[in-house]
Amino acid sequence: MSYFTIAGVQMHALHHGDNTEAMRHRVDVLMSRFPQVQMVLFSELMPMGASPHHAQPLPSNTEAMFCQLAEQHRIWLIPGSMFEQAEGQVYNTLSVINPHGQVVARYRKQFPFRPYEAGVESGSEFVTFDVPNVGRFGVSICYDMWFPETTRTLAAMGAEVILHPTMTDTIDRDIELAIARTNAAVNQCYFFDINGAGAIGNGRSIVVGPSGDVIHQAGTGEEVMPIEVDMNRVRRERETGLRGLGQPLKSFRDRRVDFSLYRSETGSSAFLDTLGPLQKPLRADIEEY
């Protein structure tokens, strides 16, 4: 099967609180209206809101509800992410649920939005999963995409579609739209960057094709985006080049340069060490008159 339909859901939700019933209703309506949909993707921290105080161990009753929902509609379901409590730490964790209602993978956000996403530990494992007879998918969360190594690693693991829930309510959303297009183009993959709306995001979700082309960009309100992807397009462009031109994955594979920075245990350098601590900017003192 070359064609596969993914629906991104951009919805209003409580910033602090349980949004799971609203999500269930949205999936029920979505599947009634667009029965061709095979996978549904929500935005970051949508189920329980953006407070680490709602962290819970996984598996949980909340995750089980989503498993039941996926099995009911026979869909792949990525219900955004939730704060997970594990071994005395809190992680920002995404669950991948198959049409049988089984959790096939969990991914912990590797780059919490520090210093603002305080008290959240970093994950360390990359996650891809296969949809049988369709292709390979990779997952990342929000700030992860600002680090090109994350998407490049998923592409090197064979991911043809990157599923990327985000929760951006800040003035840098326009930059993220450019990053989404760049990640898709330089890795020759589809990139689904799904944001929340209202209190839990300023919208403008974007779906990008493997040539960096914008397939759809949402507005700032609620929106459901069923998009049919063509895996053969990814495979063909990886073979012959982006728009018949550059072949960045092959060129990266065949490179002669050795990126010595990445051999460092910390990934640091003499220059990077001069940048100071990772902390919120402080208000400058001004002379009072």
Side-chain angles (χ1 to χ4, degrees):
M1 181 189 300
S2 174
Y3 298 106
F4 190 78
T5 302
I6 306 167
V9 179
Q10 177 176 292
M11 62 178 280
H12 288 270
L14 299 174
H15 195 273
H16 299 287
D18 188 340
N19 299 305
T20 56
E21 282 306 311
M23 295 172 69
R24 180 200 291 273
H25 175 70
R26 199 57 55 94
V27 172
D28 288 342
V29 172
L30 164 65
M31 295 309 300
S32 175
R33 187 178 182 190
F34 302 109
Q36 75 272 26
V37 167
Q38 295 157 285
M39 177 180 285
V40 177
L41 171 64
F42 284 90
S43 59
E44 180 188 21
L45 298 175
M46 177 57 66
M48 301 301 296
S51 172
H53 295 296
H54 296 300
Q56 52 191 254
L58 294 175
S60 66
N61 290 336
T62 300
E63 187 182 61
M65 185 279 285
F66 289 121
C67 290
Q68 181 276 327
L69 189 62
E71 184 177 22
Q72 173 189 340
H73 291 288
R74 295 182 296 113
I75 56 172
W76 290 82
L77 179 60
I78 296 90
S81 65
M82 297 178 282
F83 283 122
E84 174 196 9
Q85 190 177 67
E87 301 173 349
Q89 303 286 350
V90 173
Y91 298 91
N92 188 338
T93 302
L94 169 158
S95 301
V96 178
I97 305 168
N98 71 15
H100 301 290
Q102 301 164 330
V103 176
V104 298
R106 294 190 185 98
Y107 168 74
R108 291 171 171 171
K109 185 177 181 179
Q110 295 181 347
F111 288 93
F113 188 40
R114 294 174 179 150
Y116 298 93
E117 195 173 348
V120 180
E121 187 57 52
S122 301
S124 59
E125 301 293 330
F126 290 92
V127 169
T128 62
F129 64 95
D130 293 330
V131 173
N133 303 313
V134 176
R136 180 160 294 177
F137 294 72
V139 292
S140 62
I141 300 173
C142 201
Y143 200 41
D144 287 338
M145 80 176 196
W146 285 70
F147 304 88
E149 298 85 357
T150 60
T151 309
R152 174 54 52 84
T153 298
L154 293 171
M157 293 169 68
E160 298 164 300
V161 179
I162 306 297
L163 306 167
H164 184 79
T166 190
M167 190 197 75
T168 299
D169 61 355
T170 48
I171 61 174
D172 55 349
R173 182 60 184 159
D174 61 324
I175 302 172
E176 292 187 333
L177 299 178
I179 293 173
R181 293 191 65 186
T182 300
N183 273 328
V186 301
N187 293 292
Q188 300 176 280
C189 64
Y190 286 98
F191 199 95
F192 280 71
D193 177 35
I194 304 302
N195 197 14
I200 204 160
N202 54 22
R204 291 196 286 170
S205 297
I206 189 169
V207 179
V208 188
S211 289
D213 51 302
V214 177
I215 296 173
H216 180 72
Q217 183 177 322
T220 58
E222 293 197 320
E223 193 165 337
V224 174
M225 296 151 273
I227 304 290
E228 183 181 77
V229 301
D230 182 0
M231 296 301 194
N232 281 342
R233 181 185 170 194
V234 176
R235 295 158 193 166
R236 180 63 175 166
E237 292 196 17
R238 287 178 171 179
E239 177 186 357
T240 63
L242 187 152
R243 301 179 184 176
L245 299 169
Q247 300 178 34
L249 285 183
K250 291 181 184 178
S251 294
F252 181 78
R253 179 199 64 195
D254 296 345
R255 70 190 183 278
R256 297 188 65 183
V257 62
D258 179 21
F259 298 108
S260 58
L261 175 66
Y262 297 117
R263 294 203 308 270
S264 165
E265 289 185 3
T266 63
S268 191
S269 70
F271 165 70
L272 292 175
D273 289 341
T274 70
L275 297 181
L278 180 58
Q279 63 185 23
K280 292 183 181 181
L282 300 176
R283 183 171 55 188
D285 291 329
I286 59 175
E287 185 177 352
E288 295 184 5
Y289 293 93

